[in-house]
């Protein structure tokens, strides 16, 4: 069986976890967390990074920092994971879903402005498959209307837009280090911002509403309850696992890109014959090979292709059921404008096995099985 995903593992994780335990500082913000923070600040050229217990909790922090009031609206794509939406619902907002572009499956920047009302407070973009949204256009719209921009860069760690790391372009950025992502700590994530006026509140939110972070830096002699907050900081044991992966971040990235490019080259002939559609990487984007997807003709063909691949030992999977059509989406939001692409394109999309150290032979078995399905020889 060729798995859809295998959690990344470089070999040094267990040594670092042992070291974290020996440090006798297994709670949050220990030495490994500090190393991860410093590495990401430097690598992604961003002022504040806070490891979190998940990508979901990083999104919750971002949503809380948008200072939403009941009735306020947040614009986001419908083609995303529930966490993107939950964060804003929990923060009290109404959701306004907009359509995606079929080439990247990212929010269509051209359809955002029409969705803005006098209650709109934020735009949350999702860099699907680690491919950048059109951030210049989105930030320009946001600035003109006085809106916050949150980047759900859960899939975008190590990707860039015009030379800037995804997650560092909007007001707040959110990474995920779940085991299905390019870099992992089991469960985990990170919150990023260049807005130092929010950095202190972010620390307080993450530390149960207290200024313990300041206390740990010796800036106050005792810590007290400052504001509302939660517990969003991960154990240093998890950070130790992540540190092993960040040390090898370039190697992991290159390895995934080799697989991504191999899929792309091998499947291009099918696309040229009009049998499938393949992802587009916009010129402004350097991507991280988070995912390789293709689009079948329609839902029926995709269902048959999944079954065909399964029978040949290949695990390929569809992705999001558009949120606006889900029970919670109906309850908490509305779709603005026409659903031109979201439903139709999500019905066609299929994700192929993709992980660190995917064997070339396995990748070619996946490709062969797809060619066999379409009755074309390679
Ligand atoms: C994975 C993911 C999340 C959630 O991250 P967790 O770490 O699993 O909480 C949120 N948004 C998107 C787009 C994701 O892919």
């Amino acid at each position: 069986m060729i798995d859809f995903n295998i959690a990344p593992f470089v070999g040094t994780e267990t040594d670092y976890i042992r070291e974290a335990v020996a440090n006798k500082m297994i709670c949050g913000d220990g030495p490994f967390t500090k190393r991860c923070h410093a590495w990401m600040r430097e690598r992604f050229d961003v002022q504040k990074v806070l490891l979190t217990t998940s990508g979901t909790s990083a999104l919750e922090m971002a949503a809380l920092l948008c200072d939403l009031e009941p009735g306020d609206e947040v614009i986001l794509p419908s083609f995303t994971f529930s966490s993107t939406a939950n964060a804003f619902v929990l923060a009290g907002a109404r959701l306004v879903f907009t359509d995606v572009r079929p080439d990247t499956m990212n929010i269509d920047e051209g359809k955002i402005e029409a969705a803005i009302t006098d209650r709109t407070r934020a735009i949350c973009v999702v860099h699907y498959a680690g491919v950048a949204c059109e951030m210049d256009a989105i930030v320009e719209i946001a600035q003109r209307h006085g809106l916050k921009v949150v980047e759900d860069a859960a899939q975008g760690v190590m990707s860039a837009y015009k030379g800037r790391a995804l997650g560092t372009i909007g007001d707040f950025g959110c990474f995920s280090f779940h085991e299905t992502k390019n870099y992992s700590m089991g469960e985990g994530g990170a919150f990023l911002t260049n807005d130092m006026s929010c950095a202190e509140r972010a620390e307080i939110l993450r530390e149960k509403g207290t200024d313990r972070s300041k206390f740990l830096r010796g800036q106050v002699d005792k810590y007290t309850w400052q504001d509302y907050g939660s517990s969003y900081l991960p154990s240093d044991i998890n950070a130790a696992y992540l540190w092993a992966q960040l040390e090898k971040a370039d190697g992991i990235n290159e390895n995934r890109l080799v697989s991504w490019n191999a899929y792309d080259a091998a499947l291009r002939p099918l696309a040229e014959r009009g049998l499938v559609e393949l992802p587009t990487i916009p010129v402004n984007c350097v991507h991280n090979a988070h995912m390789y997807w293709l689009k079948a003709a329609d839902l029926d063909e995709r269902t048959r292709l999944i079954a065909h691949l399964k029978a040949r030992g290949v695990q390929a999977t569809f992705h999001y059921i558009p949120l606006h059509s889900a029970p919670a989406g109906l309850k908490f939001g509305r779709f603005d404008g026409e659903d031109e692409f979201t439903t139709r394109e999500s019905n066609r999309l299929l994700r192929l096995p993709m992980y660190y150290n995917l064997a070339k032979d396995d990748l070619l078995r996946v490709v062969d099985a797809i060619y066999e399905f379409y009755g074309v020889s390679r």
Side-chain angles (χ1 to χ4, degrees), residues 101 104 106-110 112 123-128 130-143 147-153 159-174 282 284-285:
R101 297 161 46 137
T104 57
N106 282 335
I107 192 166
D108 185 337
E109 66 281 1
I112 291 174
I123 303 167
C124 182
V125 303
V126 180
H127 302 296
Y128 186 68
V131 175
C133 298
E134 279 305 325
M135 293 309 291
D136 277 356
I138 292 162
V139 168
E140 188 274 326
I141 293 167
Q143 280 174 350
L147 312 176
K148 291 265 193 261
V149 175
V150 176
E151 290 178 79
D152 181 342
S159 291
Y161 172 81
K162 295 191 178 179
R164 296 166 73 188
L166 299 191
T168 70
I169 303 165
D171 295 274
F172 309 124
C174 307
N284 291 329
C285 171

Side-chain angles (χ1 to χ4, degrees), residues 13-23 240:
E13 289 87 345
T14 35
D15 291 339
Y16 288 148
I17 287 172
R18 233 177 261 121
E19 194 180 321
V21 173
N23 283 339

Side-chain angles (χ1 to χ4, degrees), residues 10 18 20 32 37 86-87 105 118 126 146 155 174 188 191 207 211 231 242-243 245 295-296 299 306 345 356-357:
V10 297
R18 233 177 261 121
F32 283 103
H37 285 173
N86 275 327
M105 299 304 280
D118 58 2
V126 180
Q155 302 172 13
C174 307
F191 169 87
E207 266 282 24
D211 55 356
S231 182
L242 180 65
W243 176 246
Q245 313 231 324
K295 286 180 188 165
L299 178 59
I306 291 174
E345 300 298 301
Y356 175 58
N357 279 342

Side-chain angles (χ1 to χ4, degrees), residues 163-338:
R164 296 166 73 188
L166 299 191
T168 70
I169 303 165
D171 295 274
F172 309 124
C174 307
F175 286 169
S176 169
F177 299 118
H178 186 261
E179 71 162 34
T180 53
K181 302 305 199 289
N182 292 27
Y183 308 93
S184 183
M185 51 197 278
E187 299 277 355
F191 169 87
L192 296 82
T193 190
N194 276 312
D195 181 352
M196 291 311 274
S197 71
C198 290
E200 192 174 310
R201 261 191 80 203
E203 286 183 344
I204 289 169
L205 264 176
R206 176 171 168 269
E207 266 282 24
K208 302 97 180 168
T210 73
D211 55 356
R212 182 167 174 271
S213 299
K214 268 186 154 172
F215 172 74
L216 290 177
R217 286 194 296 265
Q219 292 167 328
V220 288
D221 57 10
K222 56 180 179 299
Y223 65 89
T224 53
W225 186 31
Q226 300 287 321
D227 202 346
Y228 57 83
S230 189
S231 182
Y232 291 132
L233 75 170
S235 159
D236 218 45
I237 298 174
N238 296 66
Y241 192 102
L242 180 65
W243 176 246
Q245 313 231 324
L246 294 183
E247 272 194 327
K248 301 275 164 61
D250 288 305
I252 294 174
N253 199 42
E254 280 153 29
N255 177 285
R256 294 184 74 111
L257 277 164
V258 167
S259 295
W260 197 99
N261 290 327
Y263 270 133
D264 203 56
L267 294 170
R268 248 337 121 180
L270 289 183
E272 276 154 18
R273 297 176 64 152
L275 294 167
V276 296
E277 276 174 41
L278 301 177
T280 307
I281 308 297
V283 286
N284 291 329
C285 171
V286 173
H287 75 108
N288 62 357
H290 174 64
M291 180 194 303
Y292 199 88
W293 56 255
L294 62 78
K295 286 180 188 165
D298 52 29
L299 178 59
D300 174 62
E301 187 180 282
R302 183 186 71 179
T303 306
R304 287 185 289 110
L305 178 52
I306 291 174
H308 172 88
L309 291 173
K310 191 172 169 209
R312 276 147 193 79
V314 176
Q315 233 180 35
T317 57
F318 56 87
H319 215 179
Y320 310 124
I321 309 294
L323 296 184
H324 74 281
S325 60
L330 295 168
K331 195 154 122 195
F332 298 124
R334 64 180 171 87
F335 193 95
D336 187 81
E338 188 197 341

